[in-house]
Amino acid sequence: MMPPYPIPPTDLLLMRRALELAALGGPATRPNPQVGCVIADAAGNILAEGWHRRYGGPHAEVEAVTALFARPDAPSSLAGMRVFVTLEPCAHHGKTPPCADLLIRHGATEVVVATLDPNPLVGGRGAARLRAAGCAVTVGLLAEEARWLNRRFFSAQERARPWVVLKWAQSADGFLAAAAAEPPVPANVTSAVGRPTAISGEAARRLVHRWRTEEAAILVGATTARTDNPRLDARYWPGPAPVRMVLTGTRALPPNLHLLAYNEPETLLLDGADLPAALAALHARGLHSVLVEGGARVLNSFLAADFWDEIRVLTNSTLRLHAGVTAPQLPPAARLLRTTRLADDLVAEYRR
Ligand code: AOF
Ligand code: ZN
């Protein structure tokens, strides 16, 4: 059942709050979704809040119900309360007992859900169980926002492939790197192998490290691994570092590269000739998203195969390279989500 039209503005506010709480879970919930829960009284006053804080920890509903009954003025049950939760309450015994049962046990009479849980273990069963117990369940309030928040989780559950974020940094004149050959470089040279070139400023680099904490894996091609010798960690932002991956060709990588020399956790080497297999390997490891950081060949191969969900482009507006490795072209399906300016760098984020 979709929410009644018109949607009461208070319901929107309460579900938005639940989504804010969900986002506090951040990468710590991986590979679980980020879930938030708000319990309000019949008038719409928030009495308790909760969110899924970390993988294996209590679910959002458990946190909120516990907070509610810890109040000195706690109600005797959930009867007459309004429970807002960003994901359908679970119906399965996972690391924790089913949230639907918890809500029923406490006499819940109204639950508002943003989206059903795509997990086949749940998939509508939580809502059905609540309804069977006489609880009114509404599904679909701010569903799009809730799906976006957990886009990586939904991608894994619904498409059995990771959410793919392509990222590159380019000069104002559209180059990823200066040409490998030292000048003089003919103006028409667009080599695929460049020189390691610092494109972005300090703030943009820090933002990229934040992005790295937000995705489960990070991937570059063998040429980038060789030429740039990147670490691909997240040392400029608190949070988990992504699992590092290199798409390799036929040549072995030099073992003294940072990616191989500092091999804890292990850098995975995947076959660059078979992108579907590489993505399947990520999915099989429970990695729900990947940040693809280059180089040109790898980015273009993801674009050509249409394996992308978001594209983020950092453009240094003051740097001109005149020649070198040409930046990929944005695909026609890319829609600008937002732009941000960080000193000289323009950050453009696209989705489909
Ligand atoms: C909820 N509320 O806050 C979350 C849910 O292993 P477990 O017990 O933690 O269960 C993980 C699954 O439960 C996860 O895949 C997803 O389907 C659901 N997550 N459900 O009711 C929550 N985090
Ligand atoms: Zn649950």
Side-chain angles (χ1 to χ4, degrees):
M1 188 188 23
M2 286 299 289
Y5 187 82
I7 298 161
T10 298
D11 289 19
L12 273 174
L13 282 178
L14 297 178
M15 189 60 89
R16 267 204 200 107
R17 177 61 186 157
L19 283 166
E20 283 170 21
L21 296 167
L24 295 175
T29 66
R30 272 191 331 235
N32 273 0
Q34 301 172 25
V35 185
C37 179
V38 160
I39 302 176
D41 66 15
N45 300 303
I46 294 179
L47 299 185
E49 300 182 331
W51 68 96
H52 187 45
R53 288 164 184 269
R54 54 170 200 289
Y55 176 73
H59 286 182
E61 301 89 323
V62 178
E63 295 272 359
V65 166
T66 307
L68 178 72
F69 292 122
R71 286 174 65 108
D73 59 347
S76 55
S77 79
L78 288 174
M81 300 287 127
R82 310 190 66 217
V83 180
F84 289 79
V85 57
T86 59
L87 189 75
E88 174 188 14
C90 63
H92 70 295
H93 287 267
K95 299 222 169 340
T96 60
C99 293
D101 293 353
L102 172 86
L103 297 174
I104 291 166
R105 185 149 36 84
H106 287 290
T109 50
E110 185 186 358
V111 175
V112 183
V113 170
T115 117
L116 292 181
D117 188 341
N119 183 345
L121 289 172
V122 186
R125 269 186 279 265
R129 194 179 295 179
L130 283 160
R131 287 193 183 116
C135 178
V137 181
T138 312
V139 179
L141 180 60
L142 295 181
E144 210 180 307
E145 288 83 344
R147 284 179 62 89
W148 179 255
L149 176 68
N150 282 314
R151 55 199 183 274
R152 302 160 179 91
F153 176 74
F154 276 87
S155 174
Q157 300 288 341
E158 294 180 346
R159 307 185 296 183
R161 80 143 166 90
W163 184 262
V164 175
V165 182
L166 307 184
K167 171 252 149 181
W168 67 83
Q170 62 186 23
S171 62
D173 51 357
F175 293 100
L176 296 184
E182 289 295 328
V185 179
N188 61 347
V189 163
T190 51
S191 150
V193 181
R195 246 177 307 139
T197 311
I199 305 267
S200 308
E202 190 195 313
R205 277 209 300 273
R206 203 174 288 282
L207 176 65
V208 169
H209 280 230
R210 179 180 187 156
W211 289 346
R212 288 176 176 182
T213 67
E214 291 168 354
E215 311 306 337
I218 187 167
L219 182 151
V220 296
T223 307
T224 299
R226 272 175 228 276
T227 342
D228 289 5
N229 193 16
R231 289 176 171 77
L232 303 184
D233 58 12
R235 61 197 177 280
Y236 300 139
W237 200 263
V243 174
R244 300 168 301 166
M245 316 204 151
V246 182
L247 280 188
T248 56
T250 43
R251 280 199 299 155
L253 289 170
N256 60 339
L257 293 180
H258 284 132
L259 284 173
L260 301 180
Y262 305 99
N263 207 15
E264 187 54 51
E266 188 192 357
T267 299
L268 302 174
L269 305 180
L270 303 170
D271 176 9
D274 192 349
L275 277 193
L279 290 178
L282 266 87
H283 180 72
R285 288 185 157 82
L287 301 168
H288 289 178
S289 68
V290 60
L291 182 65
V292 180
E293 285 212 22
R297 197 179 300 140
V298 168
L299 290 164
N300 281 320
S301 66
F302 274 83
L303 287 166
D306 211 29
F307 283 141
W308 65 274
D309 299 296
E310 281 179 75
I311 299 175
R312 304 187 190 158
V313 184
L314 307 158
T315 305
N316 184 331
S317 55
T318 62
L319 177 70
R320 302 188 76 80
L321 293 174
H322 307 289
V325 183
T326 312
Q329 279 213 319
L330 281 174
R335 297 279 170 274
L336 186 63
L337 183 63
R338 74 179 145 245
T339 57
T340 325
R341 185 164 277 288
L342 289 174
D344 288 339
D345 292 301
L346 186 71
V347 184
E349 297 175 60
Y350 303 85
R351 55 183 285 191
R352 275 180 187 274

